[in-house]
Amino acid sequence: MEIIANNLAPIMFAGLIIFLLMGFPVAFSLGACGLFFGFVGIEMGVLPASLLQALPLRIFGIMKNDTLLAIPFFTLMGLILERSGMAEDLLDTIGQLFGPVRGGLAFAVIFVGALLAATTGVVAASVISMGLISLPIMLRYGYDRRIASGVIAASGTLAQIIPPSLVLIILADQLGRSVGDMYKGAFVPGFILTGLYALFVIGVAIFRPHWVPALPLEARSIKEDNGKSGLASLGLLALASTAAAIYFGQHYAQVLSYFKGETVAQVATDETIVVAMSVGVGLAFVASLLNKLLGLGLLSRMAERVTFVLIPPLALIFLVLGTIFLGIATPTEGGAMGALGALLMALARGRISYKLMVQALTTTTKLACFVVFILIGSTVFSLSFQGVDGPKWVEHLLTALPGGQLGFLVFVNVLVFVLAFFLDFFELSFIVVPLLGPVAEKLGIDLIWFGVLLGVNMQTSFMHPPFGFALFYLRSVAPDRDYTDKLTGKRIEQVRTSQIYWGAVPFVIIQIIMVGLIIAFPNLVSGGQDKAAVQDTSNVQLEAQPQDEGSGKEMDANKLFGPADAPPATSASQPASAPLDPLEAAANAGK
């Protein structure tokens, strides 16, 4: 019995794995494991009898955490946009724009995937929308099925890392950091990953051009009366808008000084970029609107179409991310404005209906309940795990790895990559991240940088054959039998599941390369450049604070209670400077 009492933490962790392997729902596996070992610990005298009295306060702390409200807001926004026809218009227009070049449809899918990721934040919505709209077109014009399915699935998973991502909200909550800072940190890596996808398509277009053919001339429907594409007009409009944005950005400080009536010496770079881009986009929209209303004939049909299709989602991105980056709104408030903006866009397109609203609200409610139940289960597990000094066991286990920070990061990323074969990002965030965050902080790793790194790694959970959810979403909408194309009359072969799986492999490799780039170049994550640099800390020694005399195995129950009127007592197994756990830190921050 003494052996069990002294090793209750690893036994508890092994018990959780057994629960999960038996196929129990994750939320109930966490809760049942926490309660079972809590009772075992109390009966064995390892834990105080008042341990479980902490649960109501912890659950109340979750209810008070308004950061989690951003999840249903962004989910609702994504589901409404999915049904508003925005994705269809974007894919059609951008497909026509890039159609004349080899791989043009693949470029359009990647570009639209990034744009949908920055507006919806929901992987399922992006993959299903692009699968329904673009996959039949790519098959119609002879795209290789592996490339077509891989591009669609990978572009849909950009919603994992490009703000407003749901996984970044969860990671920020679990690591006890600001969602806004996490969004800023992930912004550059998300678009670098988009660029790597595009580079892959360029490579395929060069070495395997027959896999990604250009659109035939008869399929290019947006053109002038004289048969020209109108790209020159679009290029001139883009150059004028870019020049206006750059000029405004250079003089933004003077503009602020004029309106504020005081000298503004310097403005934050992210604020300058957001405002300057808004000015450039606004100029293009006004020019196109005047050209259409006054019949000036200065812009081509392509220029007008691209402008009117791109401006609404770009405006929504500014409404959500721009206000967060400028400090005008919190992520929760930004999500609320995004949901309202999506409703207005759907109304403007005449796509809103009672049935649509019921479907969107039902799905949003299900997802929100799913998240909260897992969070409650993880809180029950965390309470008992804290009581048996589980964090101390994990800390000693991970800090004993050779190589210091680098060894820790390599081990953690391999662990998350392997677990992603079996668990989705919600489960990884609630089970694994709370154990890794405190150790990363002890090793001097910036938690914003660490969260973005884990977010990119967790993205592979959607792409792993054979369990990737993005692959399942695509399989649900891809043709599973041969059919006759209505437009061309050609016989189109089905898309086999093996083709979807093989198509995902190159993009999983690209995601792994992106993880390596973030570790090698920590400055890619804004906000983590000062502390995230990987250094050799193999000689770091961590000493546990001594227990109070006479305490033995007795523990002060106050340390387990989460938020309360009086500050909790310090655990013997945890330094006073560290929060009890990320969930509790988030709850306290909400006060």
PDB file of all heavy atoms in Angstrom, residues 158-180:
ATOM      1  N   LEU A 158      -6.056  25.708 -41.722  1.00  0.00           N
ATOM      2  CA  LEU A 158      -5.454  26.996 -41.371  1.00  0.00           C
ATOM      3  C   LEU A 158      -6.288  27.720 -40.320  1.00  0.00           C
ATOM      4  O   LEU A 158      -5.771  28.587 -39.605  1.00  0.00           O
ATOM      5  CB  LEU A 158      -5.306  27.872 -42.618  1.00  0.00           C
ATOM      6  CG  LEU A 158      -4.214  27.460 -43.610  1.00  0.00           C
ATOM      7  CD1 LEU A 158      -4.320  28.280 -44.899  1.00  0.00           C
ATOM      8  CD2 LEU A 158      -2.835  27.631 -42.993  1.00  0.00           C
ATOM      9  N   ALA A 159      -7.567  27.356 -40.221  1.00  0.00           N
ATOM     10  CA  ALA A 159      -8.415  27.944 -39.182  1.00  0.00           C
ATOM     11  C   ALA A 159      -7.942  27.563 -37.789  1.00  0.00           C
ATOM     12  O   ALA A 159      -8.358  28.176 -36.802  1.00  0.00           O
ATOM     13  CB  ALA A 159      -9.872  27.489 -39.381  1.00  0.00           C
ATOM     14  N   GLN A 160      -7.048  26.567 -37.688  1.00  0.00           N
ATOM     15  CA  GLN A 160      -6.479  26.180 -36.403  1.00  0.00           C
ATOM     16  C   GLN A 160      -5.487  27.208 -35.868  1.00  0.00           C
ATOM     17  O   GLN A 160      -5.354  27.368 -34.654  1.00  0.00           O
ATOM     18  CB  GLN A 160      -5.737  24.844 -36.554  1.00  0.00           C
ATOM     19  CG  GLN A 160      -6.619  23.637 -36.467  1.00  0.00           C
ATOM     20  CD  GLN A 160      -6.871  23.246 -35.033  1.00  0.00           C
ATOM     21  OE1 GLN A 160      -7.875  23.632 -34.459  1.00  0.00           O
ATOM     22  NE2 GLN A 160      -5.979  22.499 -34.454  1.00  0.00           N
ATOM     23  N   ILE A 161      -4.742  27.860 -36.755  1.00  0.00           N
ATOM     24  CA  ILE A 161      -3.625  28.693 -36.314  1.00  0.00           C
ATOM     25  C   ILE A 161      -3.800  30.170 -36.664  1.00  0.00           C
ATOM     26  O   ILE A 161      -3.254  31.042 -35.986  1.00  0.00           O
ATOM     27  CB  ILE A 161      -2.294  28.153 -36.905  1.00  0.00           C
ATOM     28  CG1 ILE A 161      -1.089  28.803 -36.217  1.00  0.00           C
ATOM     29  CG2 ILE A 161      -2.255  28.310 -38.411  1.00  0.00           C
ATOM     30  CD1 ILE A 161      -0.984  28.520 -34.741  1.00  0.00           C
ATOM     31  N   ILE A 162      -4.550  30.484 -37.726  1.00  0.00           N
ATOM     32  CA  ILE A 162      -4.762  31.885 -38.077  1.00  0.00           C
ATOM     33  C   ILE A 162      -5.886  32.435 -37.213  1.00  0.00           C
ATOM     34  O   ILE A 162      -6.976  31.859 -37.164  1.00  0.00           O
ATOM     35  CB  ILE A 162      -5.108  32.034 -39.572  1.00  0.00           C
ATOM     36  CG1 ILE A 162      -3.913  31.617 -40.436  1.00  0.00           C
ATOM     37  CG2 ILE A 162      -5.495  33.469 -39.898  1.00  0.00           C
ATOM     38  CD1 ILE A 162      -4.164  31.690 -41.929  1.00  0.00           C
ATOM     39  N   PRO A 163      -5.669  33.543 -36.490  1.00  0.00           N
ATOM     40  CA  PRO A 163      -6.740  34.116 -35.660  1.00  0.00           C
ATOM     41  C   PRO A 163      -7.947  34.468 -36.521  1.00  0.00           C
ATOM     42  O   PRO A 163      -7.774  34.840 -37.682  1.00  0.00           O
ATOM     43  CB  PRO A 163      -6.086  35.376 -35.080  1.00  0.00           C
ATOM     44  CG  PRO A 163      -4.609  35.123 -35.181  1.00  0.00           C
ATOM     45  CD  PRO A 163      -4.414  34.288 -36.410  1.00  0.00           C
ATOM     46  N   PRO A 164      -9.169  34.346 -35.976  1.00  0.00           N
ATOM     47  CA  PRO A 164      -9.561  34.003 -34.603  1.00  0.00           C
ATOM     48  C   PRO A 164      -9.759  32.500 -34.401  1.00  0.00           C
ATOM     49  O   PRO A 164     -10.869  31.996 -34.534  1.00  0.00           O
ATOM     50  CB  PRO A 164     -10.886  34.740 -34.439  1.00  0.00           C
ATOM     51  CG  PRO A 164     -11.491  34.726 -35.826  1.00  0.00           C
ATOM     52  CD  PRO A 164     -10.341  34.751 -36.800  1.00  0.00           C
ATOM     53  N   SER A 165      -8.694  31.801 -34.105  1.00  0.00           N
ATOM     54  CA  SER A 165      -8.723  30.358 -33.962  1.00  0.00           C
ATOM     55  C   SER A 165      -9.289  29.941 -32.607  1.00  0.00           C
ATOM     56  O   SER A 165      -8.957  30.529 -31.576  1.00  0.00           O
ATOM     57  CB  SER A 165      -7.294  29.820 -34.113  1.00  0.00           C
ATOM     58  OG  SER A 165      -7.162  28.543 -33.566  1.00  0.00           O
ATOM     59  N   LEU A 166     -10.127  28.901 -32.605  1.00  0.00           N
ATOM     60  CA  LEU A 166     -10.668  28.385 -31.342  1.00  0.00           C
ATOM     61  C   LEU A 166      -9.578  27.755 -30.487  1.00  0.00           C
ATOM     62  O   LEU A 166      -9.583  27.871 -29.259  1.00  0.00           O
ATOM     63  CB  LEU A 166     -11.774  27.354 -31.622  1.00  0.00           C
ATOM     64  CG  LEU A 166     -13.030  27.844 -32.356  1.00  0.00           C
ATOM     65  CD1 LEU A 166     -14.053  26.718 -32.429  1.00  0.00           C
ATOM     66  CD2 LEU A 166     -13.636  29.045 -31.662  1.00  0.00           C
ATOM     67  N   VAL A 167      -8.623  27.063 -31.141  1.00  0.00           N
ATOM     68  CA  VAL A 167      -7.573  26.399 -30.365  1.00  0.00           C
ATOM     69  C   VAL A 167      -6.698  27.408 -29.647  1.00  0.00           C
ATOM     70  O   VAL A 167      -6.213  27.166 -28.541  1.00  0.00           O
ATOM     71  CB  VAL A 167      -6.727  25.479 -31.275  1.00  0.00           C
ATOM     72  CG1 VAL A 167      -5.866  26.267 -32.244  1.00  0.00           C
ATOM     73  CG2 VAL A 167      -5.833  24.573 -30.435  1.00  0.00           C
ATOM     74  N   LEU A 168      -6.496  28.594 -30.234  1.00  0.00           N
ATOM     75  CA  LEU A 168      -5.688  29.622 -29.567  1.00  0.00           C
ATOM     76  C   LEU A 168      -6.411  30.168 -28.338  1.00  0.00           C
ATOM     77  O   LEU A 168      -5.764  30.523 -27.340  1.00  0.00           O
ATOM     78  CB  LEU A 168      -5.363  30.752 -30.542  1.00  0.00           C
ATOM     79  CG  LEU A 168      -4.442  30.390 -31.716  1.00  0.00           C
ATOM     80  CD1 LEU A 168      -4.248  31.585 -32.638  1.00  0.00           C
ATOM     81  CD2 LEU A 168      -3.101  29.875 -31.215  1.00  0.00           C
ATOM     82  N   ILE A 169      -7.735  30.226 -28.395  1.00  0.00           N
ATOM     83  CA  ILE A 169      -8.502  30.666 -27.221  1.00  0.00           C
ATOM     84  C   ILE A 169      -8.320  29.663 -26.086  1.00  0.00           C
ATOM     85  O   ILE A 169      -8.051  30.038 -24.928  1.00  0.00           O
ATOM     86  CB  ILE A 169      -9.999  30.810 -27.569  1.00  0.00           C
ATOM     87  CG1 ILE A 169     -10.208  31.884 -28.634  1.00  0.00           C
ATOM     88  CG2 ILE A 169     -10.811  31.153 -26.321  1.00  0.00           C
ATOM     89  CD1 ILE A 169     -11.635  31.984 -29.134  1.00  0.00           C
ATOM     90  N   ILE A 170      -8.441  28.372 -26.406  1.00  0.00           N
ATOM     91  CA  ILE A 170      -8.285  27.323 -25.393  1.00  0.00           C
ATOM     92  C   ILE A 170      -6.868  27.322 -24.836  1.00  0.00           C
ATOM     93  O   ILE A 170      -6.658  27.231 -23.613  1.00  0.00           O
ATOM     94  CB  ILE A 170      -8.622  25.946 -25.991  1.00  0.00           C
ATOM     95  CG1 ILE A 170     -10.083  25.909 -26.466  1.00  0.00           C
ATOM     96  CG2 ILE A 170      -8.372  24.847 -24.966  1.00  0.00           C
ATOM     97  CD1 ILE A 170     -11.098  26.037 -25.377  1.00  0.00           C
ATOM     98  N   LEU A 171      -5.858  27.429 -25.719  1.00  0.00           N
ATOM     99  CA  LEU A 171      -4.472  27.427 -25.262  1.00  0.00           C
ATOM    100  C   LEU A 171      -4.179  28.622 -24.364  1.00  0.00           C
ATOM    101  O   LEU A 171      -3.490  28.485 -23.350  1.00  0.00           O
ATOM    102  CB  LEU A 171      -3.527  27.427 -26.468  1.00  0.00           C
ATOM    103  CG  LEU A 171      -3.396  26.105 -27.226  1.00  0.00           C
ATOM    104  CD1 LEU A 171      -2.606  26.292 -28.515  1.00  0.00           C
ATOM    105  CD2 LEU A 171      -2.736  25.052 -26.353  1.00  0.00           C
ATOM    106  N   ALA A 172      -4.693  29.788 -24.735  1.00  0.00           N
ATOM    107  CA  ALA A 172      -4.476  30.971 -23.899  1.00  0.00           C
ATOM    108  C   ALA A 172      -5.109  30.772 -22.527  1.00  0.00           C
ATOM    109  O   ALA A 172      -4.516  31.132 -21.493  1.00  0.00           O
ATOM    110  CB  ALA A 172      -5.057  32.209 -24.586  1.00  0.00           C
ATOM    111  N   ASP A 173      -6.292  30.189 -22.499  1.00  0.00           N
ATOM    112  CA  ASP A 173      -6.962  29.947 -21.223  1.00  0.00           C
ATOM    113  C   ASP A 173      -6.179  28.948 -20.376  1.00  0.00           C
ATOM    114  O   ASP A 173      -5.996  29.152 -19.174  1.00  0.00           O
ATOM    115  CB  ASP A 173      -8.380  29.429 -21.493  1.00  0.00           C
ATOM    116  CG  ASP A 173      -9.146  29.150 -20.216  1.00  0.00           C
ATOM    117  OD1 ASP A 173      -9.489  30.104 -19.518  1.00  0.00           O
ATOM    118  OD2 ASP A 173      -9.380  27.961 -19.913  1.00  0.00           O
ATOM    119  N   GLN A 174      -5.703  27.870 -20.986  1.00  0.00           N
ATOM    120  CA  GLN A 174      -4.987  26.839 -20.243  1.00  0.00           C
ATOM    121  C   GLN A 174      -3.615  27.313 -19.759  1.00  0.00           C
ATOM    122  O   GLN A 174      -3.141  26.881 -18.711  1.00  0.00           O
ATOM    123  CB  GLN A 174      -4.812  25.589 -21.109  1.00  0.00           C
ATOM    124  CG  GLN A 174      -6.108  24.882 -21.444  1.00  0.00           C
ATOM    125  CD  GLN A 174      -6.802  24.328 -20.217  1.00  0.00           C
ATOM    126  OE1 GLN A 174      -6.373  23.356 -19.640  1.00  0.00           O
ATOM    127  NE2 GLN A 174      -7.878  24.972 -19.800  1.00  0.00           N
ATOM    128  N   LEU A 175      -2.974  28.187 -20.534  1.00  0.00           N
ATOM    129  CA  LEU A 175      -1.654  28.691 -20.158  1.00  0.00           C
ATOM    130  C   LEU A 175      -1.727  29.951 -19.313  1.00  0.00           C
ATOM    131  O   LEU A 175      -0.690  30.473 -18.891  1.00  0.00           O
ATOM    132  CB  LEU A 175      -0.821  28.946 -21.419  1.00  0.00           C
ATOM    133  CG  LEU A 175      -0.447  27.710 -22.241  1.00  0.00           C
ATOM    134  CD1 LEU A 175       0.189  28.106 -23.566  1.00  0.00           C
ATOM    135  CD2 LEU A 175       0.476  26.792 -21.458  1.00  0.00           C
ATOM    136  N   GLY A 176      -2.942  30.459 -19.085  1.00  0.00           N
ATOM    137  CA  GLY A 176      -3.092  31.655 -18.255  1.00  0.00           C
ATOM    138  C   GLY A 176      -2.573  32.911 -18.918  1.00  0.00           C
ATOM    139  O   GLY A 176      -2.043  33.808 -18.254  1.00  0.00           O
ATOM    140  N   ARG A 177      -2.700  33.018 -20.240  1.00  0.00           N
ATOM    141  CA  ARG A 177      -2.220  34.173 -20.977  1.00  0.00           C
ATOM    142  C   ARG A 177      -3.363  34.849 -21.718  1.00  0.00           C
ATOM    143  O   ARG A 177      -4.445  34.297 -21.861  1.00  0.00           O
ATOM    144  CB  ARG A 177      -1.117  33.758 -21.963  1.00  0.00           C
ATOM    145  CG  ARG A 177       0.193  33.319 -21.292  1.00  0.00           C
ATOM    146  CD  ARG A 177       0.795  34.475 -20.513  1.00  0.00           C
ATOM    147  NE  ARG A 177       2.083  34.127 -19.919  1.00  0.00           N
ATOM    148  CZ  ARG A 177       2.237  33.680 -18.683  1.00  0.00           C
ATOM    149  NH1 ARG A 177       1.172  33.483 -17.918  1.00  0.00           N
ATOM    150  NH2 ARG A 177       3.438  33.424 -18.199  1.00  0.00           N
ATOM    151  N   SER A 178      -3.099  36.049 -22.216  1.00  0.00           N
ATOM    152  CA  SER A 178      -4.115  36.826 -22.921  1.00  0.00           C
ATOM    153  C   SER A 178      -4.397  36.228 -24.294  1.00  0.00           C
ATOM    154  O   SER A 178      -3.468  35.872 -25.031  1.00  0.00           O
ATOM    155  CB  SER A 178      -3.641  38.275 -23.070  1.00  0.00           C
ATOM    156  OG  SER A 178      -4.376  38.960 -24.056  1.00  0.00           O
ATOM    157  N   VAL A 179      -5.685  36.136 -24.640  1.00  0.00           N
ATOM    158  CA  VAL A 179      -6.054  35.647 -25.969  1.00  0.00           C
ATOM    159  C   VAL A 179      -5.558  36.612 -27.045  1.00  0.00           C
ATOM    160  O   VAL A 179      -5.075  36.191 -28.107  1.00  0.00           O
ATOM    161  CB  VAL A 179      -7.582  35.465 -26.071  1.00  0.00           C
ATOM    162  CG1 VAL A 179      -7.982  35.038 -27.485  1.00  0.00           C
ATOM    163  CG2 VAL A 179      -8.067  34.436 -25.062  1.00  0.00           C
ATOM    164  N   GLY A 180      -5.640  37.915 -26.785  1.00  0.00           N
ATOM    165  CA  GLY A 180      -5.162  38.908 -27.747  1.00  0.00           C
ATOM    166  C   GLY A 180      -3.683  38.746 -28.038  1.00  0.00           C
ATOM    167  O   GLY A 180      -3.253  38.814 -29.201  1.00  0.00           O
TER     168      GLY A 180
END
